[in-house]
Amino acid sequence: SQHYFIQSNLSRIDMVIDDDFVPTISIGPLFGSDKDAKMGVAQQIDKVCRESGFFYISDHGVDLNELFKTSMDFLKTIKDEEKQRIAIAAWNPSNTKQIRNGFQPATPHKPVEMFCYLNPEFSEQHPAIVEGLPGHEVNVWPDEKDHPGFKEYCEEYYRKMVKVTTALLKGFSLALGLEEEALGEYFKQADTLSSAVFIRYPEMEDYPNIIIAEDGTELGYGAHQDVDLLVLLAQSNVQNLQALTGDGTYRDVPPNDTCFLVNAGTYMDYLTHGVYRAVWHRVKHRNIDRLSIPFFVNLGYHDAPQPFYPTTTEPTETCEKKESVRNKPLKYGHFLQKGLRDLIVSNGQR
């Protein structure tokens, strides 16, 4: 099929596949009822989560070309006054209720622009909105006249991603030695704090404030861990991500614009006592007009599953010793608030 992005000759270099480091796993079986096929997927997930921590998922059922076209059209055509009207409170202090949801315009120091939205179930009548729980906001949208169908597309995309995540969590549950619905019990359309973000990195003649890492690499976003349960990332076919490896060096994550890139966040790390690590990663500076569209998978505010030690091949004595030192249950809403604050301090508004 024809892809929406037409890149320069650089993309020929970018299309190098590195299946050993970042494998592609078909999650098709996770939507079905074949237990053996699901276990096959789970074994692949378990292997990569104990190694590089990054993998692509195929057979997810989402039209990524449509996603890229819709988001790029929106980010290229939204007017400046509209950006300000729906900007988050950090950019427009009058929008006091918009801490997470809304537009983040470019600045002279940071040319990246993004639009973030939350669970479409969060209406004015939603119990969490009525209660005023942190992290819950009613989404704001651009004018329908200028962007017809955009709101409807975004809400439908969010619901599709909830279905993809629900299937993927079955694979993670089985991979961790749990019943397949174990993690999904805490991930519900009605109250998930997950967010979808459309990010555009523009091409510019004179790019400001490029970060230089200690190893000399030019960065667009510094080293960080994701503050979530999981991240599912759709992105342009432009190599930009690097993941920290066991030997302390960063290694390129190959791009793929037909699959979602998946990695564990710090809550998964906490739940599994570091067995499924939240791998440190960073974004290289690439002066090419491109998109990055993460779906940050979060549980509900009050969810606090009991951390556990995953099925392991280590000697029994070691496991028994570990069982005596367990992380305490951590309410998800509190975890997310603190984690996002820390991320903003270290790397700027997300």
Side-chain angles (χ1 to χ4, degrees):
S1 62
Q2 184 176 4
H3 293 298
Y4 182 66
F5 287 98
I6 300 171
Q7 301 294 357
S8 68
N9 288 334
L10 281 171
S11 62
R12 293 183 186 172
I13 301 168
D14 292 342
M15 290 174 70
V16 172
I17 303 301
D18 191 351
D19 282 335
D20 291 336
F21 185 53
V22 185
T24 299
I25 300 174
S26 168
I27 63 165
L30 299 179
F31 293 98
S33 55
D34 185 331
K35 187 68 180 287
D36 289 339
K38 291 180 188 177
M39 283 304 301
V41 176
Q43 288 164 0
Q44 295 176 72
I45 291 174
D46 183 61
K47 183 175 186 294
V48 72
C49 285
R50 293 170 187 262
E51 294 176 354
S52 72
F54 282 84
F55 62 97
Y56 281 105
I57 55 170
S58 61
D59 302 312
H60 45 71
V62 179
D63 185 341
L64 294 188
N65 276 327
E66 184 182 21
L67 173 65
F68 293 143
K69 185 177 189 317
T70 302
S71 52
M72 186 62 97
D73 286 349
F74 166 69
L75 291 168
K76 278 188 170 181
T77 60
I78 182 171
K79 297 170 183 173
D80 287 344
E81 56 269 27
E82 188 76 339
K83 292 176 184 179
Q84 190 62 16
R85 182 183 71 80
I86 64 171
I88 61 172
W91 269 258
N92 185 345
S94 64
N95 291 339
T96 54
K97 294 183 178 180
Q98 291 173 233
I99 307 303
R100 301 176 66 202
N101 153 239
F103 203 88
Q104 295 184 36
T107 70
H109 304 294
K110 195 172 183 180
V112 178
E113 292 195 310
M114 63 185 78
F115 175 72
C116 172
Y117 66 99
L118 310 179
N119 193 336
E121 303 299 319
F122 293 165
S123 67
E124 294 289 357
Q125 293 75 41
H126 191 283
I129 297 292
V130 173
E131 189 180 340
L133 280 181
H136 300 76
E137 300 166 23
V138 179
N139 287 323
V140 295
W141 299 102
D143 194 301
E144 174 69 16
K145 296 196 306 296
D146 294 330
H147 303 277
F150 179 72
K151 173 186 174 184
E152 289 72 21
Y153 173 83
C154 290
E155 291 183 339
E156 179 61 23
Y157 171 69
Y158 191 103
R159 293 187 173 104
K160 283 180 184 174
M161 292 307 293
V162 167
K163 291 178 181 175
V164 172
T165 301
T166 300
L168 185 59
L169 287 176
K170 292 180 181 180
F172 269 89
S173 295
L174 293 171
L176 290 162
L178 308 172
E179 293 297 318
E180 73 172 58
E181 302 294 343
L183 292 175
E185 286 180 18
Y186 300 98
F187 180 76
K188 301 296 183 188
Q189 173 75 63
D191 67 355
T192 172
L193 285 164
S194 300
S195 60
V197 190
F198 298 167
I199 306 170
R200 180 188 177 198
Y201 290 83
E203 183 171 2
M204 302 178 71
E205 278 189 28
D206 189 17
Y207 220 96
N209 286 10
I210 297 171
I211 305 164
I212 307 295
E214 287 184 7
D215 61 7
T217 304
E218 293 186 348
L219 301 179
Y221 196 85
H224 64 286
Q225 295 169 298
D226 287 318
V227 182
D228 319 272
L229 181 70
L230 297 172
V231 181
L232 280 66
L233 174 70
Q235 58 179 330
S236 308
N237 196 42
V238 177
Q239 201 290 311
N240 66 94
L241 275 175
Q242 291 188 317
L244 187 64
T245 62
D247 65 7
T249 60
Y250 279 91
R251 184 169 170 180
D252 286 349
V253 174
N256 185 331
D257 61 2
T258 66
C259 298
F260 287 100
L261 182 66
V262 178
N263 65 284
T266 51
Y267 198 82
M268 181 69 80
D269 194 315
Y270 185 85
L271 267 187
T272 64
H273 296 89
V275 176
Y276 283 12
R277 291 174 301 115
V279 175
W280 284 84
H281 54 287
R282 64 190 188 182
V283 180
K284 288 197 297 188
H285 169 64
R286 298 297 305 273
N287 195 10
I288 301 173
D289 200 359
R290 63 183 181 84
L291 288 171
S292 177
I293 305 178
F295 185 77
F296 294 109
V297 176
N298 294 308
L299 304 182
Y301 187 89
H302 294 293
D303 290 329
Q306 173 66 56
F308 59 95
Y309 286 96
T311 304
T312 177
T313 54
E314 292 182 46
T316 307
E317 307 84 59
T318 309
C319 297
E320 288 173 353
K321 189 176 179 183
K322 279 184 171 182
E323 285 293 341
S324 65
V325 185
R326 273 180 178 256
N327 288 337
K328 293 183 171 63
L330 178 61
K331 185 182 282 192
Y332 200 88
H334 295 172
F335 152 81
L336 186 63
Q337 272 184 281
K338 180 182 184 305
L340 291 181
R341 275 199 304 267
D342 292 347
L343 193 61
I344 288 170
V345 168
S346 62
N347 266 306
Q349 184 73 43
R350 169 176 167 179

